[in-house]
Amino acid sequence: MKYTLETGDALTLMRSHDDESVHSVICSPPYFGLRDYGHDPTEWPDGKMACLGQEDTPEEYVQHMVDIFRGIRKILHDEGTVWLNIGDSYYKGKKHPQLKAGDICLIPHRVALALQADGWIVRQDIVWHKPNAMPESVKDRPTLAHEYIFMLAKRKGYYYDSWAIKEPWKTTSDFDLKRAMFGHKEYDGKMADAKEEGRKQEGRFGESKVAGDPRNGRNKRSVWSATRQNYAGAHFAVYPTWLIEPCVKAGTSERGACPSCGKQWRRVEKSDTDWKPGCACGEKPIPSVILDPFSGSATTGYVALSHGRDYLGFDTQPDYNEIGEDRLSKLVSELKHKAPSLDGFFSGAI
């Protein structure tokens, strides 16, 4: 496993990387109209000079996000996914044709719709529920306690490992398990008729038995509860590691990818240990690569390396990359210490 941290704006840095060279993108860009991170403005294809998030209008912000994602499309593998964490804001800018002062801007959905129109498959909108959300002083609306993660795909046939992020069932009630399992293709959708054992079947589920084994868990749901998490020395917009773990585990292969064609190894269905190549190249796999074009304190990189993936991070601020370098180098040292026999897999920062 290795990591690379590069300083500069994502729009420019992506141009120097090979096509289809990353397997997944996990990121949280600056939100519209909120914090100014103090870096130099970016020159955008529309001729504007602005820091991302500090545009004059929501429309300009959305267009700049589309510009960035066009660069992402180029370097993302054809079977790759993007996990975009984005929050909302309330309008307080200049006169706008639709938005009034105090309107929620609906920025996440504006961005998602624009990306969809630009060719991305918007596969899921995941709600990040924050049990310990920051309190607000407002008295005329509910306190905002959620953000969104949009799961995007470049094309059909993208890599996704549902088995890696399966959830435990929420009940041990025999009746509820039977009801939940009925018709589930994950467990063959079969019910064993109790009459076969000489017992009377009562009702639709009654005395029937579930043919599949529900102990392996259920498919992950689209609402993720994850408390906010601080990292000492980090900048003030850090998302929690436990929010990113499902994105890493589902969006990239634990076994790795082919070094020639980049296709990732697939899990043999319903197996924790068995894998098969995604291609016929016949080469040994190397770690899958995860990109965060807004790396910050390298939380994405921390989770990626922790789970055996390579990491590529961009940030406009050298100070943030110094924080990320310190964090990731310490992690690599810890992982080496825990598993000294795997030293050959670590090449450090490059």
Side-chain angles (χ1 to χ4, degrees):
M1 292 172 289
K2 60 181 181 293
Y3 65 91
T4 306
L5 299 176
E6 299 181 7
T7 302
D9 69 83
L11 201 63
T12 301
L13 292 176
M14 283 188 287
R15 295 172 187 150
S16 64
H17 288 269
D18 294 337
D19 292 1
E20 299 191 51
S21 56
V22 301
H23 297 97
S24 189
V25 177
I26 304 171
C27 64
S28 182
Y31 299 167
F32 172 71
L34 296 180
R35 299 182 179 95
D36 185 348
Y37 290 85
H39 56 78
D40 293 335
T42 298
E43 182 176 357
W44 299 94
D46 61 8
K48 301 281 187 178
M49 293 291 294
C51 297
L52 184 65
Q54 298 301 305
E55 291 86 351
D56 291 334
T57 67
E59 289 79 8
E60 288 180 10
Y61 175 80
V62 170
Q63 181 56 55
H64 294 167
M65 286 292 293
V66 170
D67 293 335
I68 288 172
F69 271 73
R70 286 174 179 167
I72 287 174
R73 180 192 297 276
K74 174 180 177 292
I75 65 173
L76 181 66
H77 196 278
D78 279 348
E79 63 175 19
T81 52
V82 178
W83 307 76
L84 170 63
N85 167 227
I86 188 166
D88 219 330
S89 55
Y90 293 86
Y91 194 68
K92 54 184 178 182
K94 300 175 182 178
K95 187 176 181 180
H96 190 276
Q98 289 89 36
L99 296 172
K100 286 77 63 184
D103 258 341
I104 190 167
C105 294
L106 301 176
I107 291 292
H109 297 88
R110 290 172 185 262
V111 170
L113 288 169
L115 294 177
Q116 190 176 63
D118 204 47
W120 289 90
I121 300 172
V122 182
R123 195 68 182 98
Q124 186 61 274
D125 60 333
I126 298 161
V127 176
W128 170 18
H129 164 233
K130 304 177 182 179
N132 62 339
M134 289 289 289
E136 295 179 331
S137 59
V138 295
K139 302 297 182 183
D140 58 351
R141 62 169 174 80
T143 295
L144 187 64
H146 73 281
E147 292 184 14
Y148 291 93
I149 298 176
F150 288 98
M151 176 189 167
L152 312 173
K154 190 173 175 180
R155 61 181 58 183
K156 292 180 180 180
Y158 57 87
Y159 181 89
Y160 183 79
D161 185 0
S162 64
W163 191 254
I165 59 170
K166 59 184 183 293
E167 297 179 337
W169 288 102
K170 300 297 183 182
T171 176
T172 56
S173 161
D174 183 56
F175 175 81
D176 287 344
L177 284 176
K178 289 174 182 176
R179 182 172 59 184
M181 299 308 300
F182 186 80
H184 249 256
K185 64 179 181 179
E186 180 81 14
Y187 299 98
D188 301 323
K190 298 176 182 177
M191 301 289 286
D193 196 334
K195 292 180 180 179
E196 294 177 2
E197 299 181 7
R199 294 182 296 174
K200 181 180 178 182
Q201 183 174 1
E202 299 177 1
R204 184 176 180 184
F205 307 107
E207 296 297 327
S208 295
K209 298 184 300 181
V210 180
D213 185 351
R215 292 175 297 177
N216 287 324
R218 68 181 192 182
N219 194 37
K220 191 168 183 65
R221 277 26 181 182
S222 62
V223 176
W224 300 358
S225 291
T227 55
R228 293 181 300 110
Q229 181 182 29
N230 295 322
Y231 172 67
H235 69 77
F236 38 74
V238 180
Y239 49 29
T241 55
W242 42 82
L243 181 73
I244 303 309
E245 285 178 348
C247 308
V248 169
K249 294 167 72 174
T252 54
S253 172
E254 178 184 331
R255 188 71 176 88
C258 173
S260 292
C261 71
K263 289 190 174 181
Q264 299 185 84
W265 282 52
R266 261 65 175 172
R267 187 186 299 274
V268 175
E269 188 177 3
K270 303 180 184 179
S271 172
D272 287 324
T273 57
D274 296 330
W275 296 83
K276 59 185 179 181
C279 63
C281 297
E283 298 191 52
K284 291 183 178 180
I286 58 175
S288 301
V289 180
I290 293 175
L291 165 68
D292 187 344
F294 314 100
S295 184
S297 57
T299 299
T300 301
Y302 187 91
V303 179
L305 293 177
S306 297
H307 290 280
R309 280 67 163 177
D310 284 352
Y311 177 64
L312 173 62
F314 303 151
D315 204 278
T316 56
Q317 297 283 40
D319 290 348
Y320 292 165
N321 274 342
E322 288 178 10
I323 293 171
E325 169 64 32
D326 180 67
R327 190 179 190 185
L328 298 184
S329 63
K330 287 179 179 177
L331 174 64
V332 168
S333 296
E334 291 171 3
L335 293 173
K336 284 182 178 181
H337 178 73
K338 290 178 180 178
S341 63
L342 297 179
D343 281 357
F345 287 95
F346 297 92
S347 57
I350 58 174

